[in-house]
């Protein structure tokens, strides 16, 4: 079958404004969007720039916007889209565009760093004689956050990022903090909850659920954010309700 792709192009060395190029290629319904990008680059235009590495939904590097929705190009198939319509492929929204489909991830990692992932976990004052074990139930509390591949799709889909002029910490950073706050082996969850309460932190989240809808790892992002809000209320503001903060 023939597939037409309309792809965002921008070369900072030659272009003052972005534009779109359209390519029609031969593809199979089971081909992935990433296969199509490869085909364009290998057969039609070797200057097309995009990121990819694992090609199997593990590394998160090929996150792009497909028909306006953030997704991993290696996870979406041609048959997921209408065969009669052009497929629009653009860089992730809210990320500075570096070239074609490549974005600058520095602002994203700045958000992640703002929750202080490098804080040494205050695990125990008692000298350890063996590894710190978790029960399956304790591990299950952080399973979702551990699955995150830091692809950025949730941030590109989050309406609050736009509403708060890119100042909002974003769903991926809150999810990362959730991992530390709910880890049964750590004892610094109170400090970490205070970090999340900084301006443009967790209380900016309005539960639009867009992060959950687009997450390629099927993480219940919004649910984990709500659980974290409830824990903060319970432990730091017991006299308040979620809506009051
Ligand atoms: Fe990507 Fe999901 Fe992690 Fe967001 S929560 S960065 S969408 S894997
Ligand atoms: Fe690694 Fe798609 S290329 S997730």
């Amino acid at each position: 079958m023939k597939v037409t792709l309309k792809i965002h192009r921008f070369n900072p060395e030659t272009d003052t404004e972005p534009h779109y190029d359209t390519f029609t290629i031969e593809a199979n319904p089971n081909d992935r969007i990433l296969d199509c990008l490869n085909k364009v680059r290998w057969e039609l235009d070797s200057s097309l720039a995009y990121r990819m590495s694992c090609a199997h939904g593990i590394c998160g590097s090929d996150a792009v916007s497909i028909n306006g929705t953030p997704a991993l190009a290696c996870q979406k198939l041609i048959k997921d889209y209408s065969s009669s319509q052009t497929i629009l492929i653009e860089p992730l929204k809210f990320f500075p565009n570096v070239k074609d489909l490549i974005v600058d991830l520095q602002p994203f990692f700045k958000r992640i760093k703002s929750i202080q992932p490098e804080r040494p976990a205050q695990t125990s004052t008692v000298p350890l004689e063996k590894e710190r074990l978790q029960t399956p139930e304790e591990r299950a509390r952080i399973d979702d956050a551990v699955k995150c591949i830091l692809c950025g799709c949730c941030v590109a889909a989050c309406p609050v990022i736009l509403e708060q002029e890119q100042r909002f910490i974003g769903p991926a950073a809150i999810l990362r903090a959730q991992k530390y706050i709910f880890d049964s082996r750590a004892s610094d969850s109170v400090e970490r909850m205070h970090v999340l309460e900084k301006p443009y932190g967790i209380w900016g989240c309005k539960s639009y659920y867009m992060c959950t809808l687009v997450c390629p790892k099927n993480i219940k992002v919004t649910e984990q954010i709500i659980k974290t809000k409830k824990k903060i209320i319970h432990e730091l503001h017991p006299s308040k309700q979620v809506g009051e903060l």
Side-chain angles (χ1 to χ4, degrees):
M1 64 187 285
K2 297 256 183 246
V3 172
T4 303
L5 308 174
K6 184 174 170 185
I7 304 178
H8 174 281
R9 305 301 303 268
F10 175 66
N11 181 347
E13 291 175 2
T14 55
D15 301 336
T16 51
E17 291 291 329
H19 63 279
Y20 289 84
D21 281 343
T22 301
F23 302 93
T24 300
I25 56 169
E26 197 61 43
N28 183 296
N30 287 320
D31 281 349
R32 303 164 303 175
I33 297 296
L34 181 61
D35 298 320
C36 299
L37 291 174
N38 287 339
K39 198 160 192 172
V40 170
R41 181 156 72 181
W42 295 340
E43 298 176 10
L44 301 175
D45 184 346
S46 60
S47 71
L48 178 64
Y50 54 94
R51 279 201 187 99
M52 57 88 61
S53 182
C54 71
H56 287 88
I58 305 295
C59 71
S61 62
D62 63 340
V64 289
S65 167
I66 307 173
N67 285 352
T69 302
L72 299 180
C74 64
Q75 274 192 344
K76 292 294 177 185
L77 306 181
I78 290 297
K79 67 182 179 191
D80 295 334
Y81 303 93
S82 162
S83 56
S84 60
Q85 283 176 359
T86 298
I87 299 173
L88 177 65
I89 307 179
E90 298 170 295
L92 287 182
K93 205 158 79 169
F94 306 138
F95 290 71
N97 186 212
V98 175
K99 187 178 182 189
D100 294 344
L101 300 173
I102 296 178
V103 294
D104 182 0
L105 290 166
Q106 287 305 319
F108 176 71
F109 287 114
K110 203 170 153 198
R111 289 184 164 97
I112 301 287
K113 281 180 96 173
S114 75
I115 61 102
Q116 304 175 4
E118 76 288 357
R119 271 176 74 95
Q122 297 163 14
T123 46
S124 173
T125 51
V126 182
L128 288 170
E129 290 173 2
K130 58 178 187 173
E131 70 271 31
R132 289 180 288 271
L133 299 177
Q134 286 186 304
T135 64
E137 293 74 24
E138 286 167 341
R139 177 57 165 72
R141 284 182 216 140
I142 56 171
D143 270 355
D144 260 358
V146 170
K147 283 193 287 183
C148 174
I149 57 173
L150 298 175
C151 67
C153 287
C154 54
V155 169
C158 178
V160 182
I161 300 280
L162 183 65
E163 287 172 11
Q164 297 193 355
E165 296 168 347
Q166 311 242 14
R167 295 195 183 103
F168 176 46
I169 187 175
I174 301 174
L175 184 69
R176 178 55 58 115
Q178 186 272 343
K179 177 157 80 84
Y180 300 120
I181 290 169
F182 282 78
D183 190 329
S184 60
R185 299 163 298 183
S187 60
D188 61 347
S189 66
V190 168
E191 289 85 347
R192 289 191 172 281
M193 287 190 278
H194 281 301
V195 170
L196 267 189
E197 287 209 287
K198 283 185 179 166
Y200 304 105
I202 190 166
W203 299 113
C205 171
K206 308 243 177 61
S207 302
Y208 285 112
Y209 278 86
M210 293 305 295
C211 48
T212 305
L213 278 176
V214 302
C215 177
K217 304 309 283 184
N218 296 322
I219 298 171
K220 297 184 186 74
V221 188
T222 318
E223 199 175 291
Q224 296 303 343
I225 293 173
I226 291 170
K227 272 191 201 161
T228 309
K229 283 178 174 174
K230 285 185 176 165
K231 189 172 173 71
I232 292 176
I233 295 270
H234 181 70
E235 297 194 15
L236 304 187
H237 314 284
S239 61
K240 295 205 186 282
Q241 303 289 320
V242 170
E244 292 180 64
L245 288 159

